[in-house]
Amino acid sequence: MRINNIIKPIITLFALLLITSCNPSTELFEDAICITNTNIIDAEDGLRENMTVVLRDNKIIKVLPSASLKLSDKNDIINGTGKYMIPGLWDAHVHFAYIEDLAPSMFKLFLAYGITSVRDTGGKIDFVKEWKDRAEADPTGAPRVKIAGPLIDGMPNVYDGSDPSRPPLSLGVSSAEEAVKLVDKLDSIGVDLIKAYEMLTPEQFKAVTNRAKELGLKVTGHIPLSMDAISASPGMNSMEHLRNIELSCAEDWEGLKNQRLELLVDGKSDQGGILRSRIHSAQRTRAFETQSEKNTEQVLDALLKNDSWQVPTLALSTGFNERPFLRPEWKASFNYLPQEIENKWLESIAQIATNPPTQADKKRTQWTNDIVHKMVDKGITFMAGTDCPIFFLTPGLSLHEEMAKLVDFGLSPLQAIEAATAKPAEYFDMDNELGLIREGMIADLLILDANPLDNIKNTLKLNTMIKDGKIYNRTALDQMLQSLD
Ligand SMILES: [Zn+2]
């Protein structure tokens, strides 16, 4: 006690001396831009108020309290007072190849809405590689593009190009050896991850996931219909759309799996897309109606243990029920699509609007809400991804809807930001370079007019977007969009 009474005043004295001896000095950062007095938010440090962030070339070179720094007025300064800075956003589930004619508009759409990195989760390798190369050649004029190449599917493969709703995004393999060869080939072409799909047999699936692991590639995908969540989870770094998880949480998950194995054998000469729909119709509603708390718990434990991250694509999966595309501001975003696509989308949504959501759509949304809440409680990791441009999801805008849905379904606004920034960076082992506002990291940053922690929809109040150090103010972003009119 007595010692404490003596030490405390000494410490206070030292602290005072230290403060008075460190008068803020006038600093000049040559060839740099200083964003001053701003509030910065990232997944590690939460909200830090009144900060100054200094950028040079494509890097963040200083992050420090504005009060500790007196800037020379020779600096290039952006006044960030009243603004909120977050790391550039990722859309962790996009398809450049889904509508090939839309791909040339996608870079600008992403950037104009603050999406500075994307993960392409499936498309013809030549096509998506070309967009990745173009992005790499122009880092300040394009989002960062990570690609999976084609979905690796079994036979019959689902996305075989037999129907406009199923363009040829996949390659079907008929043996484990063929699967390994395909993974090797994609790796040699330069994919960033592998996507395993629903028609793979357990043997083919294991061959794909083991080979990818040997090559240091992450694996994402859909749980194959021939498997269940618990047996597939060890091979999967991430899962898309919560796909087929409900089947493994049902009371009779084993009976459902056996029925699927029979349906897969019976339908092996059908088209993949038709066979998959048949299986989903036979099992999904039944699974939603017979969820078991105990089985759900076991599935979630396995996902946590195996670190299988979830990309629930909520804007898509709840979209059947909630129809965000009917909202005026959503329809207005179609204006930035090529005319022919805009017309087609407007026509299709007018058609959909004539039919109310089905009971099955409502059930799916309820289940999704429930399982995402449970996953959040369990501590499972999420990434924000949309599946754009599928189902009228405008590239760029739709990621903000995804973040809002993540918050609706149980994530905090900061967790939703993490799911769209720090986590995708970590997924690609880029966590030393991207996803946080730290010295030494790449300057992919957004400046917002309002606090996204108060309301996650404030991520849409985009004042300035910075990609690889290049600054686009609101006028530049509007021009970018207008060029797509
Ligand atoms: Zn997808």
Side-chain angles (χ1 to χ4, degrees):
M1 245 333 184
R2 235 187 299 150
I3 293 174
N4 237 349
N5 284 343
I6 298 165
I7 289 175
K8 260 192 193 160
I10 295 175
I11 293 176
T12 315
L13 188 66
F14 265 112
L16 274 172
L17 281 172
L18 208 65
I19 290 167
T20 47
S21 66
C22 296
N23 262 337
S25 55
T26 305
E27 290 227 40
L28 173 63
F29 295 96
E30 305 258 14
D31 303 317
I33 289 151
C34 306
I35 302 155
T36 58
N37 296 309
T38 198
N39 306 297
I40 65 181
I41 297 169
D42 74 22
E44 292 265 315
D45 292 306
L47 172 66
R48 286 173 281 170
E49 293 176 321
N50 289 318
M51 301 292 285
T52 292
V53 179
V54 184
L55 315 178
R56 182 180 287 138
D57 300 325
N58 72 334
K59 290 281 168 61
I60 301 169
I61 60 162
K62 281 263 180 264
V63 179
L64 70 186
S66 301
S68 70
L69 181 74
K70 192 152 186 288
L71 287 173
S72 149
D73 50 16
K74 293 198 183 100
N75 282 293
D76 198 345
I77 290 175
I78 294 177
N79 182 357
T81 307
K83 309 277 189 234
Y84 293 82
M85 180 188 280
I86 61 172
L89 298 169
W90 285 73
D91 187 333
H93 191 131
V94 311
H95 294 283
F96 281 96
Y98 190 75
I99 305 171
E100 292 191 359
D101 292 344
L102 180 54
S105 309
M106 284 170 78
F107 282 0
K108 282 184 177 172
L109 279 167
F110 286 129
L111 290 182
Y113 283 100
I115 287 75
T116 51
S117 303
V118 297
R119 185 179 71 134
D120 187 293
T121 47
K124 273 189 281 187
I125 185 64
D126 295 350
F127 193 82
V128 293
K129 182 64 167 49
E130 188 192 328
W131 288 103
K132 180 184 153 109
D133 291 344
R134 285 193 196 192
E136 268 169 17
D138 183 17
T140 59
R144 187 169 286 94
V145 176
K146 300 285 181 184
I147 57 168
L151 322 176
I152 301 185
D153 207 354
M155 293 293 264
N157 56 328
V158 175
Y159 279 94
D160 58 358
S162 58
D163 180 284
S165 69
R166 295 191 305 275
L169 304 179
S170 71
L171 290 176
V173 296
S174 42
S175 69
E177 296 72 44
E178 217 181 293
V180 168
K181 270 192 201 146
L182 181 53
V183 174
D184 284 345
K185 186 178 157 210
L186 294 174
D187 180 53
S188 73
I189 295 173
V191 298
D192 303 286
L193 74 155
I194 291 291
K195 184 162 176 187
Y197 214 62
E198 284 179 66
M199 294 304 202
L200 289 169
T201 65
E203 195 203 0
Q204 293 161 355
F205 176 81
K206 285 197 182 91
V208 168
T209 57
N210 287 342
R211 188 64 185 146
K213 202 174 193 179
E214 283 166 14
L215 296 169
L217 292 169
K218 291 273 183 350
V219 175
T220 198
H222 297 189
I223 297 165
L225 289 164
S226 61
M227 298 179 76
D228 58 82
I230 293 178
S231 60
S233 169
M236 299 179 77
N237 302 99
S238 53
M239 295 178 177
E240 308 299 315
H241 326 290
L242 310 166
R243 180 58 53 80
N244 298 334
I245 289 179
E246 73 281 7
L247 306 177
S248 298
C249 299
E251 190 62 54
D252 184 24
W253 68 273
E254 240 173 334
L256 289 176
K257 185 166 148 182
N258 290 333
Q259 186 196 33
R260 287 200 300 281
L261 292 172
E262 281 171 27
L263 289 167
L264 285 166
V265 171
D266 292 348
K268 66 175 184 296
S269 49
D270 290 327
Q271 280 178 11
I274 289 168
L275 176 56
R276 180 176 74 159
S277 296
R278 185 185 306 138
I279 294 174
H280 283 161
S281 333
Q283 299 208 329
R284 248 199 196 150
T285 306
R286 196 173 133 204
F288 288 143
E289 282 167 357
T290 59
Q291 291 287 288
S292 141
E293 286 291 334
K294 185 174 136 257
N295 295 348
T296 301
E297 194 64 21
Q298 284 177 0
V299 166
L300 298 188
D301 282 339
L303 300 182
L304 182 70
K305 184 177 132 235
N306 297 313
D307 208 19
S308 298
W309 296 8
Q310 298 300 314
V311 187
T313 62
L314 300 176
L316 173 81
S317 64
T318 66
F320 293 88
N321 197 33
E322 300 185 7
R323 306 173 169 203
F325 43 79
L326 297 178
R327 299 202 303 251
E329 86 281 6
W330 200 287
K331 276 202 231 179
S333 73
F334 295 174
N335 198 18
Y336 307 128
L337 309 175
Q339 193 62 51
E340 209 174 305
I341 297 169
E342 177 183 0
N343 295 345
K344 221 188 219 164
W345 284 21
L346 287 172
E347 208 176 289
S348 302
I349 63 172
Q351 183 65 35
I352 291 177
T354 59
N355 297 310
T358 63
Q359 221 31 50
D361 294 334
K362 285 182 192 158
K363 279 238 157 64
R364 186 176 174 191
T365 297
Q366 272 165 14
W367 176 82
T368 304
N369 188 354
D370 184 56
I371 198 84
V372 172
H373 272 95
K374 285 183 172 136
M375 287 174 165
V376 173
D377 291 345
K378 182 66 75 181
I380 287 169
T381 300
F382 288 90
M383 291 196 289
T386 60
D387 218 1
C388 73
I390 297 181
F391 204 54
F392 323 114
L393 293 168
T394 309
L397 173 66
S398 51
L399 194 268
H400 298 270
E401 176 74 7
E402 184 65 25
M403 291 170 76
K405 293 310 297 178
L406 285 167
V407 171
D408 281 352
F409 284 13
L411 278 75
S412 69
L414 190 61
Q415 285 173 321
I417 290 170
E418 181 178 37
T421 57
K423 285 303 168 186
E426 188 183 333
Y427 186 87
F428 288 111
D429 299 319
M430 296 185 79
D431 40 334
N432 287 324
E433 297 171 89
L434 267 186
L436 298 173
I437 304 178
R438 291 254 171 102
E439 289 178 12
M441 287 200 168
I442 296 170
D444 280 9
L445 299 163
L446 310 183
I447 300 174
L448 309 174
D449 284 327
N451 186 351
L453 301 181
D454 290 343
N455 181 348
I456 193 65
K457 292 186 176 153
N458 286 339
T459 54
L460 268 172
K461 296 188 175 155
L462 183 59
N463 177 287
T464 298
M465 184 275 297
I466 303 169
K467 174 67 196 356
D468 260 85
K470 177 159 178 185
I471 295 176
Y472 296 81
N473 62 18
R474 188 63 251 172
T475 311
L477 295 172
D478 287 338
Q479 279 166 356
M480 204 184 270
L481 287 172
Q482 277 149 21
S483 74
L484 294 169
D485 256 355

